């Protein structure tokens, strides 16, 4: 959540368009030369409780809280929406998630350009907020199962996300700076406190939404499954509230007109210097101390010196995207990891995406902890803990976090059931007869592949693995029950799980081969299916879904996903009777087979068998990786922004903000590329990211070692010393006309 902090400094140092010293006259109209009566003094804006805080900032803070709730609430469930609603693969879900995140940090450049050179901050916020709301509406419609098919949902989702990225990115550089504009210059202290409250509202909105929207998705059932439409709709409603609240305060705002796009001036200055240097690459022209000095023919010396200071900082930004590539995986890869962990902490049951709430929570804890305690202790030990060293340590902490993630991933894989490979199957035998049955599985040469005696309703704790010579095969089984010998044949296909169900029919027995599904549990939920041994069809009521029908005489139902928890009394009906089944505990990630029998005088009962074991690793094991990564974020992000702003001139703050956001976008693009093309198993991919950041950290440390910090007040002195002769030589080459 710390990427929002970048909005603080630009607003505290708002950019004012540099006026050229060669402009001595302003246009004057003769129609306005006549004397005008003195205007009445403007009425001071209303204050909050008689303080020096303008009442208008209350509307801006509430707007920011609602907008951040909207954005992070929607983003929290986005990966699971891709995976389980649109049925994309994990790699595709991760790629689209980071493509969206990348777009959110590229569009601020467009928003800043619109605000600075065309509409101004107020109209830009209003206009792009409307686009933002429209994006949420389209995104929510794309989560309605009854609206069209898979293609319609995909198109609506992508269009909605594109509009949301344009809206949130476009207003990002405007809102905080617009709040800073509401203060008078003499109220600097109040303005500084306002930014603290503004930053608090960002994390408060993120904290609440990251906790609430997963509950709306998982705890509320609609259309027979998770309610993604509600999880997207509520953040959309909060964005509507944000827009309404901001618009209500319209008459109270101080609205500064557009003052020109400094980003455009910087780009043009750099382009002119580079092209001019290329045109004069021959040795006939006198060399200049810096390549940007070649822009002196067209641009004022102060702008050139400001751009020089800016490029020094931008050079240090080159390694930064790799850190963001690791940080932003909390909402994608880490959430997918949490779906294969047990969210029951005893006092609370967490949805997989709710673990993301740790980030804003730890940010609020770590910022004062580092500033007040850790940094002071390090200083008292006589260690020069400079800003660049803090950033390097932040990178190392992120590396360690991903090592921990890889270790947790390996432990999860060790606890997970093995997967059948090519020309392999997994098979188990379930004996539903009333007595022991001896089962023999025959191979190609009549050799015995499996021979075991299975008691009635004996729970088989594991599957047996068998190799095939082809992709499919027919297996022969010999069943011996009392004095009966039964021979059966069943077909199987590679990479599959099967259950051979032995059933009783009077004094005879028979068998049927049932294909078991793997990976049918989703986002920490449970899955159940039923075998009905009764002679009547059974309708089973499972939550708010439509009843699950199971055919009579050993009919097998499909799997149905359910919320985890205790189910002591599930209502069931036949055509002439009703009864209750005790399903017991349905644990995280487990899949169960229930056999409905009526072998006692107590009525129908449910015999429970575990198809897929429950997730054994607690979701609490993700806490160390979140703590390490958030600590690295505090040291890297906050320190990096404060340092880079201190090194750039005041007129370049907005450009620096755009560049900082752009590094976040590039970092998300790196994750997108790795997810699509790496082809590594997940734990190896985590190790790869850790190693890449470690290499980048070494490069950054070398760059930082040779970097000499410059005080901002020194920039003006450097400007006077280095290129006044260039400016004098070129001033006579330009002709300017001035109207009086």
């Amino acid at each position: 959540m710390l990427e929002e902090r970048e909005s603080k400094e630009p607003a505290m140092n708002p950019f004012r368009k540099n006026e050229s010293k060669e402009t001595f006259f302003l246009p004057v109209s003769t129609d306005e030369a006549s004397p005008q009566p003195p205007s009445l003094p403007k009425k001071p804006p209303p204050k909050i409780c008689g303080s020096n805080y303008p009442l208008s900032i209350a509307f801006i803070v509430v707007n920011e809280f609602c907008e951040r709730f909207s954005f992070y609430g929607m983003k929290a469930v986005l990966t699971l929406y891709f995976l389980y609603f649109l049925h994309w693969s994990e790699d595709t879900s991760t790629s689209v998630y980071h493509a969206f995140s990348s777009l959110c940090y590229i569009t601020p450049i467009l928003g800043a350009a619109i605000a600075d050179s065309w509409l101004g901050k107020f109209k830009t916020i209003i206009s792009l907020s409307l686009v933002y709301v429209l994006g949420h509406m389209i995104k929510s419609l794309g989560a309605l199962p009854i609206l069209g098919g898979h293609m319609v949902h995909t198109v609506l989702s992508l269009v909605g996300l594109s509009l949301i990225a344009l809206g949130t990115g476009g207003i990002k550089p405007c809102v905080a700076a617009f709040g800073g504009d509401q203060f008078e210059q003499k109220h600097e202290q109040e303005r500084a406190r306002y930014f603290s409250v503004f930053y608090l509202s960002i994390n408060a909105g993120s904290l609440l939404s990251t906790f609430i929207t997963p509950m709306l998705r998982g705890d509320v059932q609609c259309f027979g499954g998770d309610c993604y439409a509600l999880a997207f709709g509520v953040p959309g409603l909060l964005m509507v509230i944000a827009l309404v609240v901001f618009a209500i305060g319209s008459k109270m705002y101080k609205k500064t007109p557009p003052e020109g796009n400094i980003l455009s001036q910087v780009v043009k200055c750099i382009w002119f210097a580079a092209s001019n240097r290329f045109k004069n690459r021959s040795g006939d022209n006198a060399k200049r101390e810096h390549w940007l000095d070649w822009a002196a023919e067209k641009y004022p010396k102060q702008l050139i010196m400001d751009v020089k200071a800016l490029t020094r900082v931008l050079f240090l930004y080159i390694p930064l995207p790799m850190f963001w590539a690791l940080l932003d995986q909390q909402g994608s890869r880490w959430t997918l990891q949490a779906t294969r962990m047990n969210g029951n902490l005893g006092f609370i049951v967490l949805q997989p995406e709710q673990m993301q709430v740790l980030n804003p929570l730890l940010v609020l804890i770590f910022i004062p902890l580092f500033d007040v305690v850790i940094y002071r202790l390090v200083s008292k030990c006589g260690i020069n803990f400079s800003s660049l060293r803090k950033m390097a340590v932040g990178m190392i902490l992120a590396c360690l976090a991903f090592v921990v993630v890889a270790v947790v991933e390996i432990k999860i894989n060790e606890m997970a059931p093995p997967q059948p490979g090519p020309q392999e199957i997994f098979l188990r035998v379930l004996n539903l007869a009333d007595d022991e049955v001896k089962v023999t599985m025959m191979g190609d040469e009549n050799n015995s592949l499996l021979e075991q005696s299975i008691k009635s309703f004996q729970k088989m704790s594991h599957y047996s693995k068998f190799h095939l010579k082809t992709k499919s095969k027919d297996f022969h089984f010999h069943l011996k029950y009392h004095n009966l010998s039964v021979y059966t044949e069943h077909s199987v296909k590679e990479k599959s799980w099967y259950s051979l169900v032995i059933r009783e029919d009077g004094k005879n027995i028979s068998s049927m081969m049932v294909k078991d599904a793997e990976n049918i549990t989703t986002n920490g939920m449970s899955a159940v299916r039923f075998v009905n041994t009764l002679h009547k069809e059974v309708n089973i009521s499972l939550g708010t879904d439509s009843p699950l029908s199971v055919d009579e005489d050993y009919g097998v139902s499909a799997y149905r996903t359910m919320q985890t928890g205790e189910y002591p009394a599930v209502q069931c009906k036949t055509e002439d009777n009703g009864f209750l089944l005790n399903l017991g505990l349905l644990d995280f990630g487990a899949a169960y087979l229930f056999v409905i029998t009526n072998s006692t005088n107590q009525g129908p009962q449910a015999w429970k068998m575990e198809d897929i074991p429950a997730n054994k690793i607690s979701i609490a094991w993700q806490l160390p990786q979140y703590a390490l990564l958030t600590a690295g974020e505090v040291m890297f992000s906050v320190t990096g922004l404060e340092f880079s702003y201190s090194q750039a001139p005041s007129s370049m703050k907005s450009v620096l903000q755009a560049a900082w956001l752009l590094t976040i976008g590039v970092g998300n693009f790196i994750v997108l590329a790795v997810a699509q093309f790496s082809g590594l198993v997940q734990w190896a991919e985590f190790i790869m990211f850790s190693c890449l950041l470690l290499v980048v950290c070494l490069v950054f440390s070398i760059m930082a070692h040779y970097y000499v910090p410059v005080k901002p007040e020194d920039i003006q002195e450097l400007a006077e010393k280095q290129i006044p002769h260039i400016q004098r030589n070129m001033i006579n080459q330009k002709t300017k006309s001035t109207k009086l």
Side-chain angles (χ1 to χ4, degrees):
M1 313 310 161
L2 287 179
E3 66 266 16
E4 307 298 341
R5 191 178 177 95
E6 70 270 32
S7 58
K8 177 174 179 178
E9 195 68 26
M12 296 177 64
N13 299 275
F15 166 70
R16 296 291 181 264
K17 184 179 179 181
N18 290 334
E19 299 293 341
S20 173
K21 294 183 179 179
E22 285 78 22
T23 305
F24 300 103
F25 303 100
L26 295 176
V28 179
S29 172
T30 56
D31 296 336
E32 298 177 356
S34 57
Q36 298 291 332
S39 59
L40 296 175
K42 290 184 178 181
K43 183 179 179 181
K47 306 291 185 179
I48 298 178
C49 300
S51 65
N52 291 324
Y53 295 93
L55 182 60
S56 56
I57 66 168
F59 296 92
I60 298 174
V61 170
V62 174
N63 165 270
E64 183 66 11
F65 170 83
C66 295
E67 189 274 329
R68 290 291 86 185
F69 187 108
S70 170
F71 178 75
Y72 284 109
M74 178 276 304
K75 197 177 178 185
V77 299
L78 194 57
T79 300
L80 299 187
Y81 169 78
F82 293 151
L83 190 64
Y84 300 123
F85 188 89
L86 296 181
H87 303 293
W88 292 347
S89 66
E90 290 192 1
D91 287 340
T92 302
S93 301
T94 300
S95 298
V96 177
Y97 175 90
H98 287 283
F100 167 71
S101 298
S102 181
L103 188 60
C104 289
Y105 292 104
I106 294 175
T107 50
I109 299 175
L110 178 62
I114 293 174
D116 289 346
S117 59
W118 182 25
L119 295 179
K121 297 185 184 71
F122 176 78
K123 290 183 179 179
T124 300
I125 295 171
I126 291 291
S127 302
L128 293 182
S129 292
L130 291 172
V131 175
Y132 203 157
V133 170
L134 179 61
H136 270 297
M137 291 175 58
I138 296 175
K139 186 73 189 71
S140 300
L141 291 175
L144 292 173
I146 60 175
L147 187 64
H150 182 267
M151 181 57 67
V152 174
H153 296 150
T154 301
V155 171
L156 290 176
S157 297
L158 295 179
V159 171
L161 288 175
S162 300
L163 294 176
I164 290 172
L166 176 60
T168 187
I171 68 176
K172 188 185 292 290
C174 301
V175 178
F178 185 71
D181 291 344
Q182 308 307 307
F183 291 87
E184 300 175 11
Q185 292 297 328
K186 59 183 178 181
H187 297 146
E188 288 288 339
Q189 186 176 3
E190 287 80 1
R191 182 165 62 182
R193 290 175 181 171
Y194 151 74
F195 282 110
S196 297
V197 176
F198 184 85
Y199 184 64
L200 180 63
S201 71
I202 291 171
N203 284 274
S206 169
L207 186 69
L208 291 176
S209 65
T210 307
F211 187 78
I212 292 174
T213 50
M215 297 172 61
L216 298 176
R217 174 200 61 80
D219 296 345
V220 179
Q221 297 287 303
C222 60
F223 304 105
D226 287 353
C227 202
Y228 287 101
L230 182 63
F232 291 139
V234 170
L237 178 62
L238 264 292
M239 189 58 219
V240 173
I241 295 174
L243 176 58
V244 171
V245 169
F246 185 77
I248 289 175
S250 175
K251 295 183 179 179
M252 303 180 191
Y253 298 141
K254 182 193 297 183
K255 304 170 186 176
T256 56
E259 299 180 5
N261 189 357
I262 184 61
L263 178 60
S264 174
Q265 295 184 43
V266 170
V267 172
K268 290 178 181 179
C269 179
I270 293 175
W271 175 257
F272 182 82
S275 58
N276 195 30
R277 175 68 184 87
F278 181 77
K279 292 177 183 177
N280 296 278
R281 60 186 180 276
S282 63
D284 298 337
N285 298 287
K287 292 184 178 181
R288 303 186 185 182
E289 186 172 343
H290 195 280
W291 66 273
L292 278 170
D293 293 340
W294 289 92
E297 289 89 333
K298 186 175 181 180
Y299 293 94
K301 57 186 178 182
Q302 186 59 52
L303 175 63
I304 295 174
M305 291 308 301
D306 288 353
V307 174
K308 286 182 181 179
L310 177 70
T311 54
R312 294 180 73 248
V313 180
L314 292 182
F315 179 71
L316 288 176
Y317 277 13
I318 294 175
L320 303 193
M322 184 52 67
F323 177 85
W324 302 117
L326 274 68
L327 181 69
D328 280 357
Q329 290 189 52
Q330 296 172 91
S332 56
R333 292 299 198 195
W334 288 21
T335 298
L336 293 175
Q337 184 187 75
T339 63
R340 293 178 286 119
M341 304 179 77
N342 194 315
N344 189 352
L345 300 180
F347 60 93
I348 190 174
V349 177
L350 291 178
Q351 298 292 339
E353 64 269 47
Q354 283 181 314
M355 283 299 289
Q356 297 178 55
V357 79
L358 283 174
N359 180 261
L361 180 62
L362 291 174
V363 163
L364 297 178
I365 296 173
F366 282 170
I367 286 180
L369 176 64
F370 276 74
D371 288 341
V372 177
V373 180
I374 296 178
Y375 291 157
R376 292 187 179 182
L377 288 176
V378 172
S379 178
K380 288 184 178 180
C381 293
I383 300 175
N384 180 20
F385 206 26
S386 65
S387 297
L388 295 178
R389 289 178 180 175
K390 292 176 185 177
M391 294 177 67
V393 172
M395 290 182 177
I396 294 174
L397 290 175
C399 293
L400 294 176
F402 266 67
V403 172
V404 174
V405 178
V407 172
V408 173
E409 186 72 18
I410 292 172
K411 297 300 294 183
I412 292 174
N413 293 339
E414 290 177 354
M415 301 297 291
Q419 300 296 319
Q423 297 185 1
E424 289 181 350
I425 66 163
F426 284 171
L427 176 70
R428 69 177 178 182
V429 182
L430 301 180
N431 180 13
L432 304 186
D434 62 355
D435 205 349
E436 183 177 341
V437 175
K438 184 178 180 180
V439 180
T440 304
M441 181 176 174
M442 312 302 294
D444 292 332
E445 301 175 355
N446 266 348
N447 57 320
S448 176
L449 299 178
L450 173 68
E451 186 174 353
Q452 59 184 166
S453 295
I454 305 172
K455 296 180 180 179
S456 176
F457 287 87
Q458 177 181 340
K459 293 189 176 181
M460 305 302 293
S461 59
H462 65 279
Y463 286 79
S464 298
K465 182 169 69 173
F466 296 96
H467 294 275
L468 312 177
K469 293 183 178 179
T470 57
K471 293 184 177 181
S472 61
K473 182 177 177 57
D474 294 334
F475 279 115
H476 298 273
F477 296 88
H478 176 212
L479 310 178
K480 190 172 182 180
Y481 170 71
H482 294 170
N483 296 323
L484 294 175
S485 290
V486 178
Y487 292 89
T488 61
E489 180 181 328
H490 297 288
S491 298
V492 294
K493 293 183 179 181
E494 65 174 357
K495 300 181 181 180
S496 300
W497 304 65
Y498 291 96
S499 290
L500 179 68
V501 179
I502 302 172
R503 57 189 181 183
E504 180 186 1
D505 183 13
K507 295 183 179 180
N508 296 321
I509 61 170
S510 61
S511 64
M512 61 181 184
M513 187 71 78
V514 178
K515 186 176 182 180
D516 302 337
E518 66 276 7
N519 300 326
I520 42 82
T521 53
T522 60
N523 51 50
M525 298 178 69
S526 298
V528 297
R529 63 172 176 166
F530 296 84
V531 175
N532 178 20
T533 66
L534 305 182
H535 299 299
K536 297 179 181 179
E537 180 181 321
V538 177
N539 292 317
I540 306 171
S541 298
L542 299 173
T544 58
D545 296 344
S546 58
L548 181 64
S549 296
V550 192
D551 294 335
E552 68 277 8
D553 297 326
Y554 293 91
V556 182
S557 73
Y559 283 100
R560 178 71 64 86
T561 56
M562 298 178 62
Q563 293 292 329
T564 58
E566 293 281 351
Y567 290 85
V570 174
Q571 292 185 351
C572 304
K573 289 183 180 181
T574 61
E575 58 183 5
D576 57 0
N577 192 18
F579 57 93
L580 300 176
L581 289 180
N582 180 11
L583 304 186
L585 173 65
L586 303 183
D587 212 345
F588 274 82
Y592 300 96
L593 170 68
F594 291 95
V595 181
I596 304 174
T597 63
N598 194 13
S599 57
T600 66
N601 56 5
Q602 299 178 357
Q605 303 292 318
W607 180 70
K608 186 177 183 180
M609 185 72 187
E610 195 175 63
D611 285 353
I612 299 176
N615 299 337
K616 302 299 183 183
I617 305 295
S618 173
I619 203 171
W621 284 104
Q622 282 196 327
L623 179 60
Q625 64 201 49
Y626 272 98
L628 283 170
L629 191 62
T630 306
E633 180 184 1
V634 170
M635 298 189 71
F636 180 89
S637 183
V638 177
T639 307
L641 271 172
E642 291 174 350
F643 170 79
S644 54
Y645 279 130
S646 70
Q647 296 298 290
S650 60
S651 63
M652 296 290 113
K653 305 296 186 182
S654 60
V655 181
L656 199 64
Q657 179 188 11
W660 181 268
L661 295 175
L662 189 60
T663 63
I664 302 175
V666 174
N668 280 273
F669 183 79
I670 292 174
V671 183
L672 185 157
V674 171
Q676 286 296 315
F677 303 113
S678 71
L680 298 174
V681 295
Q682 193 55 67
W683 68 266
E685 184 180 294
F686 288 145
I687 293 295
M688 184 193 71
F689 273 111
S690 180
C691 294
L692 286 176
L693 183 58
L694 183 60
V695 172
V696 168
C697 179
L698 293 176
V699 173
F700 178 79
S701 299
I702 295 172
M703 296 167 62
H705 177 73
Y706 289 101
Y707 182 86
V708 179
V710 177
K711 296 180 180 179
E713 55 268 22
D714 295 339
I715 295 177
Q716 180 64 35
E717 297 179 9
L718 291 173
E720 297 296 334
K721 292 179 180 179
Q722 292 190 18
I723 59 171
H725 63 283
I726 300 175
Q727 205 72 38
R728 286 195 302 268
N729 294 338
M730 301 304 169
I731 191 68
N732 295 325
Q733 298 180 12
K734 303 177 71 71
T735 304
K736 298 183 179 181
S737 60
T738 306
K739 294 183 180 180
L740 296 178

